[in-house]
Amino acid sequence: MTAMALRLSDRLRGFFDAADGAEGELAADPLLDVVHQYPEEAAWFIKVVMFFGSISGVIISIPCGVFLTMYWAPCGQCNRPLRYWILVHCVLQLLQAPVRLVFFLRLCHVQSLNNNIQECVRQLTHSAAWRTSKVVSIITYGWFILGIVWLLNSTYCKPCPGLYRLSLAVIFAAVARLLMTLIVFYHSFPPRFQGQGLPPKPRGANQELIDSMPLIVYSQEMRGEETSCAVCLSDFDRDAVLRRLPCGHSFHRGCIDKWLKRNKVCPLCLQDIEVQSPKTSKVKKAI
Amino acid sequence: MPTDFRRVKKELQECAKDEALTGVSARLKNEDDLTQLEGKIKGPQGTSYEGGVFKVDIEIPDSYPFEPPKMKFSTKIWHPNVSSQTGAICLDILKDKWSPALTLKTALLSLQALLSAPEPTDPQDAQVAEQYLKEREKFEQTAAFWTSSYASESSSDEIVERLCGMGFGKDQVLEALDATDGDENAALEKLLG
Ligand SMILES: [Zn+2]
Ligand SMILES: [Zn+2]
């Protein structure tokens, strides 16, 4: 009996430990990179999300279970199988709860020992439990969408009026948890990190502003200026149409226009094209 | 927007011109793909990276040069601004400070400069940065150890000697090394093939 229990606990522990040979995919895990950069913040974020995830899953499942056992038969007469939807949703939540709880406890344990958080997260994210949990998560989301669709299509159900309201409450709870995760994320990490991966803030110029920069035709006689375009690295051909920025730097019109739409600074001196420089007047005089 | 391949080709030629002088180089991973490159950076003298050659994975995005090339170290390196696990690099010009007037060469030179002068206040690897700030001596030791373990490349003389020792003629060996950019294994394959 004891031996069996031991074997079982061994098996269980293996489920939460990194599988050998997972080393190779190390580089591909973005979570690990975040943990590496902000270990404390990441640990806190994972802990909070795991803790609330497991608790909320259990809390939601209890009233649902009670409701379903009481009204299973009458709910069968509603025009959408919402009773099955709630049942499967709760089962999925309950499946994830222990995994999340183990993650939470492990992280707490590692933090209290002041051990290497990175190593702990690395082990956890490479465990079979994590991969299984990922699959369950994906199924949960798919099932969740299906529930919304069914709910939107369902009409008032006389034999079982509570079912509609319960489904709505379950969906609201899930949305609330998603929102909470986002809020915790924004509070966990410094603002610089949040910018990564997101499209850069609009700092490009509109066509009107670009058109306000003068066009000039290149000729060999223009002395003391660039003879090639710093954007495409090609030499200016005779009669090439260039655009000159307020800082005095010139580029192929096509090349610089594409860049300014993304970022309205001069590629060479990084001066904002909307800021008039004292150099401008000098350049004009020189011409 | 299609990638400006003419510019990439031009940059590679430009890079090759003064490779020996700058200590940085870039080449295509395979002949017909201009989006996957490999850069190499010689560890700067007087640093714990001296004697090492660090490989950098370079990916040219579709909108290059209007977006920065994606770079990460493929050689393991112990540095506050590089992830010791993934090789991800924290350098502003490879992110929001990119300008199309920068090139692969200038970006690699900036990386080389970063090796000489880490910026621990803007770290990519918190653990390494902390060690850099608090236990400098230990940091230098670890960095030097990683350099000798992961980034040391045999000098070309040693390679030639080794290959000649396998019974190939010296001219034959030099020719093979020349054709394979000095890659010992590839040269050996060529010699055997
Ligand atoms: Zn141009
Ligand atoms: Zn300028």
Side-chain angles (χ1 to χ4, degrees), chain A residues 200-231:
Chain A
K201 279 179 206 130
R203 40 182 194 163
N206 56 27
Q207 194 57 48
E208 202 185 342
L209 177 61
I210 294 173
D211 284 338
S212 72
M213 308 282 141
L215 293 173
I216 51 175
V217 175
Y218 180 74
S219 62
Q220 259 93 17
E221 290 81 55
M222 289 160 60
R223 288 205 193 126
E225 298 190 32
E226 307 94 41
T227 56
S228 65
C229 171
V231 174

Side-chain angles (χ1 to χ4, degrees), chain A residues 26-27 32-33 36-37 39 118 122 192 196 203 230-234 255 258-259 262 267-268 270, chain B residues 1 7 10-11 63 65-67 83-86 88 96 98-101 122-127:
Chain A
L26 194 76
L32 207 63
D33 219 32
H36 230 250
Q37 209 168 354
Q118 289 163 17
R122 194 194 74 81
R192 194 176 64 87
Q196 285 179 7
R203 40 182 194 163
V231 174
C232 63
L233 305 181
S234 312
C255 293
K258 265 187 217 163
W259 169 247
R262 287 168 174 263
L268 282 169
L270 302 180
Chain B
M1 210 185 306
R7 178 176 148 144
K10 206 170 247 175
E11 284 196 50
S63 42
F66 300 104
E67 255 174 48
S83 166
S84 57
Q85 305 267 335
T86 65
D96 56 334
W98 170 256
S99 145
D122 189 19
Q124 174 74 35
D125 194 310
Q127 201 192 341

